Amino acid sequence: MMYVLIVFLPLLGAILAGFFSSVLKDRGSQIVTSGFLVVSALLSWVGFFDFMGGAEPLTVDLASWMQVGDFSVNWALRIDMLTQVMLVVVTSVSALVHIYSIGYMAHDPSIPRFFSYLSLFTFAMLMLVTADNLVQLYFGWEGVGLASYLLIGFWYEKPSAGAAAIKAFLVNRVGDFGFALGIFTLFFMLGTVNFDEIFAAMPGLVGKQFNFLGWQVDVITTASLLLFVGAMGKSAQIGLHTWLPDAMEGPTPVSALIHAATMVTAGVFMVARLSPVFEYSETALTVVTVIGAATAFFAATVGMVQNDIKRVIAYSTCSQLGYMFFALGVGAYPVAIFHLFTHAFFKALLFLGAGSVIHAVSDEQDLRKMGGLAPHIRQTWILMAIGSLALAGIFPFAGYFSKDAILEAAFASGSTAGVYAYWLGVAAAVMTAFYSMRLFMLAFHGRPRAPKEVMDHVHESPKVMLIPLYFLGAGAIASGFLFAGPMIGEAFREFWGPAIYIGEHNEVMEAMHNVPGYVKLLPLLAGIGGILIGWIMYGWKTDLPASLARTHQVLYQFLLNKWYFDEIYDFLIVRPILKLGRILWKQGDGRIIDGFGPDGVSALVVRLARRAAALQTGYLYHYAFAMLIGVAALITYFFYNLGL
Amino acid sequence: MFVMLQTVFPDLSAATPEIFLFIVAMALLMVGVFAPAARAAAVVGRLALLSLVVALVMVLMQDGVKVATFENMFIVDRFAIFMKVLVLIGSALTLLMSGRFFAEMNARKFEYPVLVVLATLGMMMMISANDLIALYMGLEIQSLALYVLAAFLRDQERSTEAGLKYFVLGALSSGMLLYGASMVYGFAGTTQFAALAAVLKGGEVAPGIIVGIVFIAAGLAFKVSAVPFHMWTPDVYEGAPTPVTAFFAVAPKVAAIALFLRVMLEPFGGIAAEWRQVIVFLSVASMILGAFAAIRQNNIKRLMAYSSIGHVGYALLGLAVGTSEGIRAVLVYMAIYLTMNIGTFACILAMRRQGQYVEQIPDLAGLSKRNLPMAIIMMLLMFSLAGVPPLAGFFGKFYVFKAVMEMSALSSGWTVLAVIGVLSSVVGAFYYLRIVKVMFFDEALEPLDLPSGRELGLLMGLAGAFNLFFFPFAGPLLRAAGNAAAALF
Amino acid sequence: MIIASLAFYLFAIMTVGSALMVIVARNPVHSVLFLILAFFSSAGLFVLLGAEFLAMILVIVYVGAVAVLFMFVVMMLDINFVELRQGFLEYMPIGALVAVILLVEIAMVAAAWHFAPEAPEAMAAPLATLGAGHNTEALGNLIYTKYLYLFQGAGVVLLIAMIGAIVLTHRRRPGVKRQDISEQVSRRRDQAVEMKRVEPGQGV
């Protein structure tokens, strides 16, 4: 019952705020949705501690969804530790974001709609994490996609917001297509979409192959890779990442909730949830590792030169997701989830803090027009400092524990891909610390670059916005050392129970505690080093960045333009498709289909109609004649038929 | 010397409704002549309506056991009862909607209801015919009354022209029918349906019989206005007074279809393989022409003429199938067809501008603003005629196509037929939808009068409701039609 | 027997020939006259068949009433038949084609004439009860018993024809003087005669 409440209270809130906004008004819808979310969050924590205390995993059956032949899908909530961790993350961050939004969106004309969307998103996300089968997972998956689309395009009057929403939706479709194919593959081979049944059947599938267009392909690898394509789309991994920075067109709380803490981690969650599938495919895991590491590195490089405060954080999100994926890839699922957990707090903190900054400087997002804000918004300054340190992985903040663990696990895996991931990860860690410092220095220190009238209005955010920030700040500080022990320590198996499957040969969780000292130390040093470089460039020798950019023009442009991904896609995919579409539209549809189809047919019909009407001359003898001819024709036909 | 023939006095009980109507018709003539001239027409009209209802009750009270009387010339079975009920309903309802029209045209005469009653009598005789001569007699009684009705507005050139055209072509078709009947008699040696069925059990069939059947089919096709014997329909529908057109569109069609079914299945049922081609040809040609020719019509009565041609095509498709499933589909189709046409003609009769009856489609422009309920009912009926689910018209077509598709297991030709049927109903949908478009989206030139008269409103409402809420009626109707169809096998 | 055969061929040829002339004759009056001739010769055929009653009825009804009525109509209506015939030639070829096809087909039917096996017994049935006695009596016996239904039906047809004729043509013209016998007979003196006292020297 508790879990039903957790999942469905947000839906109820969404419905109330969405359909009864005329009754509830702004204030009412804020109270309803936020209130429900807080209840939901509290219940989640209750459940979490229940599980910490040793509660058994359970499945809550809700209803039968579809029943076709022997194929059946049920609505059910699958509650185990993995779900539980996700529930805590999602409901907590969502509740805080709801509350924060009361302040942040106070001047928006369509508040009920915003809150309704937020709650709808939360519901879909909860559906996703509690899914008991692949179809329900897909339902939640698409649900969050929809909510994300609605929220990115929340300010639909802005063309850029609309375009970003469409882009997010379309790019996600690519991933979703892969995901759907993965589901089909599993269903095709196993005849079920239920997790328990799939997991139970996995050992039997090892080594099985099936024929695809003449290729013999391994079933598990294919299915895993297809599923991973879905995860790449949703979690903005390299190649399908292009939508995430653009998604920052949405309101900042949305960025915090959806595009940092929760939705984008759905891919990580999915891979962890399907760990019993991925564990059986070495190839798939290697791909996950390589892609994850590449993303971590790539996004970090781009993050170093961005000027929009939210985009910097967006690329940092992308990069951190890369960390999570290569943690998954090396088989350290608990570590990945742990990083997801800590990341949710400090990234939400960073985003909401950035929101607070933006709020302070009259909705300006360009870092180049900030600076010198620290004295004016002291509380935000502290909170952003906490968030940045956590992100940079400085002891004892949350990021230190999780990021360190990931890098250790990557090294400990011993595989080529793992070592490759380790070194890319360390490099990314330096850059992460650097751009965190850069952002921090540009925003809060130095000479104020904003116009005078803006500077005059700089003010600290209201309490309703700051209190959630404090909660998140506490999380960013404490979630690391509090939960590192149980989640990834020696006793991690007791903590996760059956939620995460780790193969017998997979020793990475044990091995990661026994890596050489330098491996453990390097990430921290990288963080400190990055911070130092950042301070040198933006706090001490402030003309250095500009001269560096001048001297390394090509590199700078390459990074500033995000490795030209958008341009390449535009050239390789968008333009040819548009051209093809134009051809199909003008020639195919207009000339061939319309010409021979609707237009041609209707012209033909008109001609025939004119003929048919012309038969009706009004002359009696014509009519009589027609009758006689009819009879004669029929009789002739019969004679012909009888062979006479 | 005088020879007494050993004849049993015929069992009149089976024919009570017919005898009743006959007596009523003569009594009404007397009433009409002797009642005060000013009120005669109204009184006779009301009495005629009443007697049709009484006849309906009498038909309904018959128990459906197969009885043949009058030396096997007259038969009553469930099929006859079902069809007679439809015919009587059709006649009664069209009579109900016609009083006002003739009153306003200053042409209200007491002969009109009497002729309607006599025509109905003829139709019932057709339905119960069990002999080629009896068939012809019923047909002539009906047709003669209809010729007069078509020309009833004798001062209007259009009306008299319609009557004359109908008469001449009708005579031609009767000639063909008689010619065919005489050939069948010549080759089979009998005119009795039962005896014919015994003679024509299949096997080798004389060409004379087939030629005879073709001629008979041609005569009947004229009555149901199937292509190419349909030519009279648009002109007569347009020219005849609107209530008469309504009458034409429902009762005689139902009766002629009933006759068609009985003739084809009872005496000639054994050689269905021979005549099926004829029916298929008539059906396909009717469906196609009904769909295409209606597109360019501007006169709504003319349009309904083509619409009825098309609908007859679908009904004949069921006959072509020839299974009890197919016949049931035809019966259901005719029942639904009846309601759609009654409703539509009630709407057409309500089309008046400044007291004048109008019948052009553009006259309907802007009806939705002037009289929304009527526009909605008309829209429902048009959708139903076009066969849009979930309205009744859809189910009519659905059962027919279902019966056809069940045959497609035997030969792929049936699938082609079903496809032609569906395609032509798609084309046909165009002109029905056009009326809806005119009613709802075109600007009114000059608004129509609000319909006055409870009868029209009542009929529209009933027809609209039946077509919209067909589901509850579907079960009983299907059952009754199934029983009726079973009587022919 | 040979005389009977000769008579049959005579009447048959006359019937077909005069029927042909009905539609070929240019003058409509001639057409009607040929029609009458056709009726007469078919009556002769009936006599040869031993159906005297039908023969007489044909002469009385068709020749005596119908054809004469036709004649009246044709002579009273002022129709330009030449003009009516103008369209005839235009449709002649195709009309002839259809006619020839039909004719050939029917000839083929006739050529393939054979009864269905059960036909003879079915055909014999209606005559079985026909007793001795003359034609009229036999017909009467059949019409009022076996064919009662059809006889009554035919009566209805005539009734409808009558009603139709009245409805479509009868007009009550105002201002026309009609004789009403019952009114004339029932007139009393005081209605017909008015007594006036005429004053002397003043006039009426």
Side-chain angles (χ1 to χ4, degrees):
Chain A
M1 188 58 210
M2 183 175 84
Y3 293 104
V4 176
L5 276 182
I6 292 174
V7 175
F8 285 96
L9 275 179
L11 178 65
L12 185 63
I15 291 172
L16 288 176
F19 293 112
F20 301 98
S21 55
S22 55
V23 184
L24 290 171
K25 303 280 185 290
D26 292 355
R27 179 58 59 181
S29 49
Q30 287 166 345
I31 291 171
V32 167
T33 52
S34 310
F36 282 177
L37 242 299
V38 169
V39 172
S40 187
L42 291 176
L43 289 174
S44 301
W45 280 100
V46 170
F48 182 64
F49 287 115
D50 254 11
F51 266 79
M52 293 277 279
E56 285 301 305
L58 70 155
T59 304
V60 185
D61 272 310
L62 297 176
S64 172
W65 183 0
M66 43 181 134
Q67 203 90 38
V68 182
D70 49 1
F71 171 70
S72 74
V73 180
N74 287 331
W75 291 107
L77 306 181
R78 178 190 177 90
I79 311 293
D80 55 17
M81 200 59 206
L82 181 60
T83 307
Q84 198 49 259
V85 170
M86 292 303 291
L87 282 180
V88 166
V89 170
V90 173
T91 55
S92 307
V93 175
S94 177
L96 294 173
V97 167
H98 271 79
I99 295 168
Y100 177 88
S101 303
I102 294 176
Y104 191 84
M105 300 295 284
H107 303 298
D108 200 272
S110 39
I111 290 172
R113 181 162 66 94
F114 182 76
F115 279 87
S116 173
Y117 286 170
L118 271 188
S119 284
L120 178 68
F121 163 78
T122 312
F123 164 71
M125 188 70 201
L126 292 175
M127 245 10 236
L128 193 161
V129 299
T130 56
D132 179 49
N133 53 61
L134 284 169
V135 180
Q136 194 180 336
L137 182 66
Y138 196 74
F139 168 81
W141 194 266
E142 293 300 318
V144 293
L146 168 71
S148 157
Y149 167 78
L150 291 172
L151 284 166
I152 295 171
F154 182 75
W155 287 316
Y156 52 81
E157 311 88 351
K158 277 202 304 187
S160 59
I166 292 170
K167 185 172 182 182
F169 204 76
L170 285 181
V171 175
N172 266 299
R173 298 260 30 104
V174 177
D176 294 348
F177 185 60
F179 187 25
L181 286 179
I183 295 176
F184 297 158
T185 311
L186 284 179
F187 174 72
F188 177 69
M189 295 308 295
L190 302 172
T192 178
V193 290
N194 188 283
F195 285 146
D196 285 330
E197 293 167 29
I198 290 175
F199 298 163
M202 283 319 289
L205 271 186
V206 176
K208 276 236 178 86
Q209 299 193 320
F210 72 99
N211 189 310
F212 178 74
L213 298 178
W215 290 355
Q216 289 295 324
V217 287
D218 185 70
V219 174
I220 299 183
T221 303
T222 314
S224 308
L225 285 178
L226 287 170
L227 292 168
F228 179 60
V229 171
M232 280 173 69
K234 197 61 76 193
S235 294
Q237 291 303 288
I238 191 165
L240 296 178
H241 68 281
T242 54
W243 64 273
L244 184 59
D246 289 10
M248 297 305 134
E249 288 291 345
T252 309
V254 172
S255 310
L257 175 61
I258 301 184
H259 306 119
T262 55
M263 185 187 84
V264 288
T265 61
V268 180
F269 166 79
M270 189 255 272
V271 175
R273 167 60 83 210
L274 295 174
S275 54
V277 179
F278 281 84
E279 256 320 77
Y280 286 101
S281 174
E282 196 67 36
T283 324
L285 285 177
T286 309
V287 171
V288 174
T289 312
V290 172
I291 298 272
T295 309
F297 179 77
F298 149 76
T301 58
V302 177
M304 290 195 297
V305 298
Q306 295 302 311
N307 290 320
D308 183 315
I309 183 168
K310 284 175 71 182
R311 280 182 189 245
V312 174
I313 310 178
Y315 277 104
S316 129
T317 304
C318 206
S319 166
Q320 297 301 310
L321 289 166
Y323 277 102
M324 294 178 211
F325 272 107
F326 75 73
L328 294 168
V330 297
Y333 306 103
V335 180
I337 298 296
F338 179 51
H339 191 55
L340 187 164
F341 179 71
T342 57
H343 172 257
F345 290 107
F346 63 71
K347 191 49 65 66
L349 173 63
L350 277 173
F351 260 119
L352 294 183
S356 183
V357 171
I358 294 167
H359 199 69
V361 291
S362 311
D363 295 335
E364 181 54 65
Q365 302 196 8
D366 195 329
L367 283 169
R368 289 168 298 191
K369 294 184 184 162
M370 293 181 187
L373 295 175
H376 303 283
I377 44 175
R378 193 51 77 175
Q379 299 183 56
T380 307
W381 179 78
I382 294 172
L383 290 162
M384 284 295 276
I386 294 172
S388 300
L389 288 171
L391 175 62
I394 305 299
F395 185 84
F397 296 96
Y400 164 76
F401 295 93
S402 50
K403 195 189 281 183
D404 240 25
I406 287 177
L407 291 169
E408 285 163 20
F411 189 87
S413 73
S415 63
T416 324
V419 174
Y420 155 83
Y422 175 76
W423 288 112
L424 281 186
V426 170
V430 178
M431 291 186 277
T432 306
F434 169 74
Y435 64 65
S436 299
M437 195 61 195
R438 172 174 175 265
L439 184 152
F440 193 73
M441 296 305 288
L442 281 177
F444 291 105
H445 295 281
R447 185 169 49 76
R449 291 178 296 275
K452 190 169 176 330
E453 55 269 29
V454 173
M455 286 310 290
D456 290 345
H457 283 104
V458 169
H459 54 87
E460 185 57 273
S461 299
K463 280 220 170 56
V464 71
M465 285 167 69
L466 286 176
I467 289 170
L469 287 181
Y470 280 118
F471 274 103
L472 289 170
I477 297 170
S479 63
F481 64 81
L482 279 184
F483 293 105
M487 281 198 191
I488 56 169
E490 306 288 347
F492 75 95
R493 280 185 200 278
E494 288 84 76
F495 181 84
W496 294 107
I500 285 174
Y501 173 83
I502 294 176
E504 282 144 29
H505 55 280
N506 187 343
E507 305 273 310
V508 74
M509 287 304 292
E510 286 77 19
M512 65 181 256
H513 296 298
N514 306 317
V515 288
Y518 75 91
V519 174
K520 285 186 177 223
L521 210 54
L522 205 55
L524 181 62
L525 290 178
I528 294 169
I531 288 175
L532 272 177
I533 299 168
W535 182 73
I536 291 168
M537 285 177 69
Y538 291 96
W540 186 34
K541 289 192 177 298
T542 46
D543 50 349
L544 199 58
S547 64
L548 265 179
R550 254 196 316 281
T551 48
H552 297 84
Q553 190 67 25
V554 177
L555 183 65
Y556 178 71
Q557 285 300 327
F558 182 66
L559 294 181
L560 189 64
N561 286 305
K562 306 155 246 172
W563 292 27
Y564 294 105
F565 258 103
D566 279 330
E567 286 73 11
I568 293 169
Y569 282 173
D570 189 50
F571 178 75
L572 280 184
I573 301 173
V574 178
R575 264 168 224 238
I577 286 183
L578 279 181
K579 201 178 277 176
L580 181 68
R582 195 169 302 272
I583 291 172
L584 288 178
W585 167 39
K586 290 285 188 198
Q587 304 295 323
D589 192 47
R591 193 159 299 171
I592 297 174
I593 296 181
D594 277 352
F596 290 99
D599 291 352
V601 167
S602 63
L604 185 71
V605 165
V606 168
R607 252 204 327 275
L608 284 177
R610 195 172 301 143
R611 284 269 169 85
L615 283 177
Q616 207 71 31
T617 54
Y619 289 116
L620 201 55
Y621 52 92
H622 284 178
Y623 296 180
F625 216 61
M627 288 168 64
L628 284 176
I629 292 175
V631 169
L634 282 176
I635 294 177
T636 313
Y637 170 78
F638 271 102
F639 274 89
Y640 176 77
N641 238 20
L642 292 171
L644 288 172
Chain B
M1 66 170 283
F2 194 77
V3 179
M4 266 305 285
L5 286 174
Q6 296 297 307
T7 27
V8 196
F9 190 73
D11 172 19
L12 297 183
S13 66
T16 17
E18 285 79 4
I19 295 171
F20 169 75
L21 278 187
F22 182 45
I23 294 170
V24 159
M26 292 191 290
L28 287 180
L29 276 180
M30 293 300 116
V31 173
V33 172
F34 289 109
R39 287 178 39 232
V43 170
V44 172
R46 233 162 274 153
L47 287 175
L49 187 58
L50 181 69
S51 53
L52 285 175
V53 173
V54 171
L56 179 62
V57 173
M58 291 167 103
V59 169
L60 284 172
M61 273 162 51
Q62 286 172 331
D63 57 5
V65 180
K66 194 175 271 201
V67 185
T69 181
F70 291 124
E71 299 282 334
N72 264 334
M73 289 193 182
F74 187 91
I75 191 168
V76 178
D77 53 12
R78 284 186 192 280
F79 175 76
I81 292 175
F82 185 91
M83 287 317 232
K84 282 179 190 172
V85 167
L86 291 189
V87 162
L88 283 167
I89 290 175
S91 300
L93 294 184
T94 43
L95 195 56
L96 181 64
M97 64 169 104
S98 47
R100 186 187 164 78
F101 176 87
F102 286 109
E104 289 186 359
M105 302 292 280
N106 280 325
R108 197 161 191 193
K109 294 187 186 164
F110 73 87
E111 285 94 343
Y112 176 78
V114 175
L115 284 170
V116 170
V117 169
L118 285 170
T120 311
L121 171 67
M123 293 171 208
M124 291 169 73
M125 288 170 68
M126 284 158 70
I127 292 170
S128 276
N130 200 27
D131 184 293
L132 287 176
I133 310 177
L135 173 163
Y136 178 69
M137 202 54 80
L139 203 64
E140 281 308 302
I141 292 176
Q142 182 231 213
S143 306
L144 206 54
L146 295 186
Y147 304 147
V148 179
L149 287 176
F152 205 77
L153 289 179
R154 59 182 187 188
D155 297 325
Q156 278 192 2
E157 203 176 320
R158 285 199 317 168
S159 177
T160 47
E161 184 188 324
L164 191 66
K165 270 183 184 166
Y166 193 21
F167 174 66
V168 173
L169 293 173
L172 181 64
S173 82
S174 290
M176 288 181 181
L177 186 91
L178 269 184
Y179 192 71
S182 68
M183 285 190 93
V184 169
Y185 175 69
F187 281 91
T190 176
T191 55
Q192 298 258 315
F193 284 179
L196 277 172
V199 173
L200 306 170
K201 279 195 297 285
E204 185 76 9
V205 188
I209 299 263
I210 293 174
V211 172
I213 292 177
V214 170
F215 272 103
I216 292 178
L220 293 175
F222 175 85
K223 296 297 172 196
V224 299
S225 65
V227 178
F229 308 100
H230 68 287
M231 306 290 275
W232 60 277
T233 321
D235 292 10
V236 173
Y237 271 45
E238 186 186 353
T242 312
V244 175
T245 310
F247 185 54
F248 281 4
V250 290
K253 280 268 141 86
V254 173
I257 285 278
L259 190 59
F260 217 143
L261 296 188
R262 195 187 283 282
V263 170
M264 287 302 162
L265 292 170
E266 277 197 338
F268 305 133
I271 50 171
E274 313 290 331
W275 53 255
R276 181 164 285 143
Q277 322 283 345
V278 184
I279 307 297
V280 167
F281 170 76
L282 295 176
S283 160
V284 169
S286 305
M287 288 190 294
I288 293 176
L289 188 111
F292 281 93
I295 288 175
R296 288 178 62 81
Q297 304 306 327
N298 264 331
N299 183 304
I300 194 163
K301 280 159 75 182
R302 244 183 132 74
L303 184 124
M304 289 307 289
Y306 284 109
S307 152
S308 85
I309 291 172
H311 283 292
V312 161
Y314 296 106
L316 288 181
L317 203 53
L319 171 60
V321 171
T323 58
S324 68
E325 194 82 350
I327 302 309
R328 190 186 73 171
V330 178
L331 300 189
V332 173
Y333 199 94
M334 290 321 285
I336 292 169
Y337 169 82
L338 180 103
T339 64
M340 296 187 295
N341 270 278
I342 292 273
T344 309
F345 276 100
C347 290
I348 295 174
L349 272 172
M351 287 169 61
R352 297 180 320 146
R353 179 177 293 137
Q354 294 171 351
Q356 295 293 309
Y357 286 90
V358 291
E359 50 197 41
Q360 299 297 315
I361 291 171
D363 290 328
L364 281 168
L367 185 67
S368 60
K369 295 190 189 70
R370 179 78 177 154
N371 186 350
L372 187 62
M374 179 175 153
I376 287 176
I377 288 175
M378 186 80 167
M379 179 186 76
L380 280 177
L381 291 167
M382 287 300 128
F383 279 142
S384 191
L385 283 166
V388 175
L391 301 173
F394 164 75
F395 290 97
K397 289 200 171 75
F398 170 74
Y399 293 126
V400 170
F401 290 141
K402 193 164 150 253
V404 173
M405 287 315 287
E406 272 165 20
M407 292 293 279
S408 64
L410 304 180
S411 152
S412 60
W414 290 105
T415 318
V416 176
L417 277 186
V419 169
I420 293 176
V422 171
L423 286 183
S424 57
S425 72
V426 169
V427 175
F430 169 79
Y431 55 82
Y432 297 123
L433 295 184
R434 180 172 148 234
I435 293 181
V436 175
K437 176 234 162 201
V438 168
M439 286 192 303
F440 281 85
F441 300 112
D442 283 9
E443 282 304 315
L445 312 165
E446 195 184 333
L448 292 177
D449 299 353
L450 286 171
S452 36
R454 279 163 300 149
E455 301 95 354
L456 293 182
L458 178 73
L459 289 177
M460 282 184 221
L462 280 178
F466 177 85
N467 278 282
L468 183 57
F469 305 109
F470 177 66
F471 274 111
F473 302 105
L477 182 61
L478 270 181
R479 243 192 326 279
N483 287 335
L488 288 184
F489 288 92
Chain C
M1 250 15 249
I2 192 119
I3 296 171
S5 300
L6 279 179
F8 170 76
Y9 285 112
L10 177 69
F11 284 131
I13 290 166
M14 268 174 62
T15 309
V16 175
S18 52
L20 195 66
M21 287 309 287
V22 173
I23 53 171
V24 181
R26 288 196 161 271
N27 189 330
V29 179
H30 293 177
S31 288
V32 178
L33 288 175
F34 276 115
L35 188 64
I36 292 171
L37 184 57
F39 287 147
F40 266 117
S41 12
S42 5
L45 287 172
F46 275 130
V47 172
L48 283 179
L49 283 171
E52 323 88 52
F53 181 74
L54 282 185
M56 292 311 121
I57 286 289
L58 193 65
V59 172
I60 294 168
V61 174
Y62 279 83
V63 179
V66 176
V68 172
L69 198 65
F70 269 12
M71 194 68 101
F72 275 126
V73 172
V74 165
M75 290 167 115
M76 279 164 65
L77 290 180
D78 182 22
I79 298 172
N80 188 344
F81 284 91
V82 180
E83 195 180 303
L84 271 184
R85 280 173 181 278
Q86 271 174 354
F88 184 73
L89 278 181
E90 195 182 325
Y91 295 99
M92 183 69 185
I94 184 156
L97 182 71
V98 173
V100 166
I101 290 175
L102 269 180
L103 192 68
V104 167
E105 280 163 357
I106 292 184
M108 276 156 66
V109 170
W113 190 277
H114 68 84
F115 287 112
E118 297 86 347
E121 30 184 307
M123 204 187 281
L127 301 172
T129 50
L130 204 60
H134 52 80
N135 225 293
T136 322
E137 190 186 331
L139 264 179
N141 267 335
L142 273 181
I143 284 178
Y144 292 106
T145 55
K146 195 170 166 67
Y147 296 112
L148 172 69
Y149 176 68
L150 303 175
F151 188 66
Q152 292 290 329
V156 179
V157 171
L158 292 180
L159 176 67
I160 294 174
M162 226 159 77
I163 299 174
I166 293 171
V167 164
L168 295 181
T169 56
H170 178 70
R171 282 171 204 275
R172 198 180 293 277
R173 289 200 190 82
V176 176
K177 288 205 165 150
R178 305 164 177 272
Q179 185 181 32
D180 188 337
I181 294 170
S182 66
E183 201 182 319
Q184 287 173 343
V185 169
S186 60
R187 219 146 87 122
R188 290 199 306 275
R189 193 188 59 186
D190 51 335
Q191 291 171 314
V193 184
E194 194 179 352
M195 297 299 284
K196 287 270 186 185
R197 182 175 292 273
V198 182
E199 294 298 325
Q202 296 203 333
V204 182

